């Protein structure tokens, strides 16, 4: 594998044919993702079966069936602006702008460490930014680190939030999933709701620390006494975390694969035109098979 740094935020580009990658090489890619947060691999020609083989080498994923799940492989989420003849959404994150987030923010105990995105049709728009919140934490003063480690975020998917992660109406099928409504209707347990998470999180494999700061989903920050933290603190965090030097901006091309750590980073996306078809395959999984 040839490895090049492509951004001051630590993002790497790796030259490898994933169809021929060994188990040891996939382990190394996973470990580099946990350390560097974002890994880009270009010029791939992968089938859905290839994607399944990659993630099952590394770990496991949930297989619940949603309207945006692939028919053959429900672990694969279709990220597409394509709609049915009736105008119904066929994929998740169809065309609206997405604010800063990572997978499982509003779930109390998500078991998915990485996302893997594979681009088949980039469409028009939908440029994706990835921020390294591990680096943002590491470059804080010792005083700020100590203070932020006393804070807790109360996180909820709320379409009325003044800084929306995703501007959905409550009857949108995506809202039904993210709020847990659709799972409850099917009689399934859901851990979507208000999630309380430390502002400073620790990676379960590397033990590195990062700022878990998905602010468009944070209802409030509370201190160790349970009191709401002043909004000045939130604004200070925003100004620090989302500096350009912590962010890698990506314009998708066919055959691109991105691995992104969901604890050490966040990502967002610009709006997507409905005029040109977009299709990415998205998998979220843990790394329980990786030898650390």
């Amino acid at each position: 594998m040839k490895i090049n740094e492509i951004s001051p935020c630590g993002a790497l580009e790796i030259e490898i044919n994933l169809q021929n990658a060994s188990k040891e090489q996939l382990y190394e890619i996973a470990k580099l993702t946990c350390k560097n947060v974002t890994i880009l691999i270009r010029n791939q020609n992968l089938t859905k079966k290839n994607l399944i083989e990659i993630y099952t080498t590394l770990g496991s994923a949930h297989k619940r069936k949603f309207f945006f799940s692939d028919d053959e492989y429900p672990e694969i989420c279709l990220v597409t602006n394509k709609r049915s003849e009736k105008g119904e959404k066929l994929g998740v994150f169809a065309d609206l702008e997405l604010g800063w987030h990572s997978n499982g923010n509003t779930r109390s105990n998500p078991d998915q460490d990485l996302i893997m995105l594979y681009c088949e049709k980039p469409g028009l728009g939908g440029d994706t930014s990835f921020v390294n919140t591990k680096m943002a934490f590491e470059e804080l003063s010792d005083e700020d680190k100590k203070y932020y480690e006393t804070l807790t975020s109360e996180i909820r998917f709320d379409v009325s939030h003044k800084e929306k992660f995703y501007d959905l109406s409550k009857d949108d099928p995506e809202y039904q999933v993210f709020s847990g409504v659709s799972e409850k209707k099917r009689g399934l347990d859901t851990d979507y709701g208000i999630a309380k998470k430390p502002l400073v999180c620790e990676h379960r494999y590397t033990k590195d620390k990062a700022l878990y700061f998905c602010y468009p989903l944070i209802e409030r920050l509370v201190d160790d006494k349970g009191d709401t933290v002043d909004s000045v603190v939130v604004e200070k965090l925003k100004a620090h975390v989302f500096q350009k030097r912590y962010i890698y901006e990506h314009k998708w091309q066919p055959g691109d694969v991105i691995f992104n750590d969901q604890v050490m980073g966040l990502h967002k996306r610009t709006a997507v035109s409905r005029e040109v078809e977009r299709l990415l395959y998205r998998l979220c999984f843990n790394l329980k098979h990786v030898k650390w």
Side-chain angles (χ1 to χ4, degrees), residues 269-283:
R269 187 197 72 188
T270 61
V272 176
S273 170
R274 294 190 182 186
E275 302 303 314
V276 182
E277 185 179 346
R278 174 184 176 89
L279 176 60
L280 278 70
Y281 297 117
R282 178 180 182 271
L283 287 123

Side-chain angles (χ1 to χ4, degrees), residues 102-162:
S102 58
N103 185 66
N105 293 145
T106 59
R107 296 175 62 200
S108 56
N109 189 29
D111 184 36
Q112 297 151 327
D113 306 291
L114 261 60
I115 58 168
M116 175 172 59
L117 295 162
Y118 173 58
C119 179
E120 192 167 284
K121 299 177 182 180
L124 183 62
D127 299 342
T128 307
S129 298
F130 301 87
V131 63
N132 185 334
T133 60
K134 176 171 80 83
M135 184 179 289
F137 175 77
E138 290 170 346
E139 295 189 356
L140 288 168
S141 68
D142 290 342
E143 182 181 3
D144 282 344
K145 286 179 183 177
K146 187 176 180 179
Y147 174 60
Y148 292 147
E149 286 184 315
T150 69
L151 304 184
T152 299
S153 299
E154 293 185 357
I155 304 169
R156 184 164 70 96
F157 182 71
D158 184 358
V159 293
S160 65
H161 196 291
K162 65 179 181 179

